[in-house]
Amino acid sequence: MILDKVSFDKVLFEKELKKGLKELLPAEMKELKNWCYEKFGKVYQTMLNKVFRRVELA
């Protein structure tokens, strides 16, 4: 819900996405990743790739 509200601002969106990922279980992360790419992939694909790559490496 928060990501929808801040999706107008790339910096704020990335900040909230990173904050939200800290709270999730692996299955929930996968679900969020899929949702993010479906909903925001056309606009923020590069940033999503960067954020989720870091999460997967951690």
Side-chain angles (χ1 to χ4, degrees):
M1 200 159 45
I2 291 172
L3 292 175
D4 258 337
K5 291 181 180 180
V6 299
S7 63
F8 65 92
D9 182 318
K10 181 181 178 183
V11 174
L12 198 53
F13 183 87
E14 184 174 356
K15 177 183 171 189
E16 291 298 329
L17 177 58
K18 287 177 180 177
K19 188 165 49 170
L21 285 171
K22 292 177 186 176
E23 311 277 327
L24 299 178
L25 299 170
E28 294 169 326
M29 279 187 210
K30 185 175 181 180
E31 194 174 324
L32 177 60
K33 179 181 179 179
N34 292 337
W35 179 80
C36 283
Y37 276 100
E38 285 177 28
K39 185 129 179 138
F40 305 107
K42 290 181 182 177
V43 179
Y44 294 139
Q45 184 169 1
T46 303
M47 183 268 298
L48 291 171
N49 291 343
K50 181 180 75 171
V51 170
F52 285 110
R53 191 175 324 116
R54 285 185 184 158
V55 170
E56 291 168 358
L57 295 175

